[in-house]
Amino acid sequence: MLDRVKNALRSCSSNVHHYSGTGASAPYIVWAEDSRNDHYSENHHGEKVWSGTIDLFSKDEDDPLRDQIEDALDEAGISWYLNSVQYEDDTGLIHTEWVFEVS
């Protein structure tokens, strides 16, 4: 199920990294799973639901990757919301973060 996230992001860019983008040149995407919010039925895991973050690091405040990422997640049937957009003083990059859930 996490392959759906990876594949959706790779449909937008080849500069996609899992957990860390150390050494990558902008723009680049980093994604990571960080928790599960499983659905339970009769004391069993009825459905596994992974949660995580997707981060875009770019020098362009109007980077078309923003829309491409959201469209790719929608197309793949992955739930998401935009969590934050920040300017990082130390790198000079605009950091856009989405939270996703996938089952």
Side-chain angles (χ1 to χ4, degrees), residues 23-78:
S25 57
Y28 64 95
I29 300 167
V30 177
W31 71 279
E33 67 279 15
D34 56 29
S35 65
R36 273 196 3 211
N37 184 20
D38 294 356
H39 296 235
Y40 297 93
S41 175
E42 298 180 16
N43 294 324
H44 295 284
H45 292 264
E47 184 176 8
K48 296 176 182 176
V49 181
W50 282 99
S51 298
T53 55
I54 298 164
D55 302 278
L56 170 63
F57 297 90
S58 177
K59 293 180 180 183
D60 181 0
E61 67 182 282
D62 296 317
D63 196 316
L65 277 173
R66 280 186 180 175
D67 289 335
Q68 291 171 14
I69 289 169
E70 293 177 359
D71 291 344
L73 294 173
D74 285 343
E75 231 175 89
I78 298 168

Side-chain angles (χ1 to χ4, degrees), residues 80-99:
W80 61 271
Y81 65 88
L82 180 63
N83 193 48
S84 68
V85 179
Q86 310 156 35
Y87 179 77
E88 296 190 354
D89 289 323
D90 57 334
T91 63
L93 297 176
I94 298 164
H95 176 189
T96 305
E97 179 188 61
W98 296 266
V99 173

Side-chain angles (χ1 to χ4, degrees), residues 15 17 20-26 28 30:
N15 203 358
H17 308 273
S20 172
T22 303
S25 57
Y28 64 95
V30 177

Side-chain angles (χ1 to χ4, degrees), residues 1-17 29 31 54 65-80 100-102:
M1 72 190 77
L2 289 170
D3 280 346
R4 288 175 46 210
V5 176
K6 176 178 65 176
N7 293 337
L9 297 173
R10 286 190 176 166
S11 74
C12 302
S13 171
S14 60
N15 203 358
V16 175
H17 308 273
I29 300 167
W31 71 279
I54 298 164
L65 277 173
R66 280 186 180 175
D67 289 335
Q68 291 171 14
I69 289 169
E70 293 177 359
D71 291 344
L73 294 173
D74 285 343
E75 231 175 89
I78 298 168
S79 298
W80 61 271
F100 71 85
E101 282 194 339
V102 64

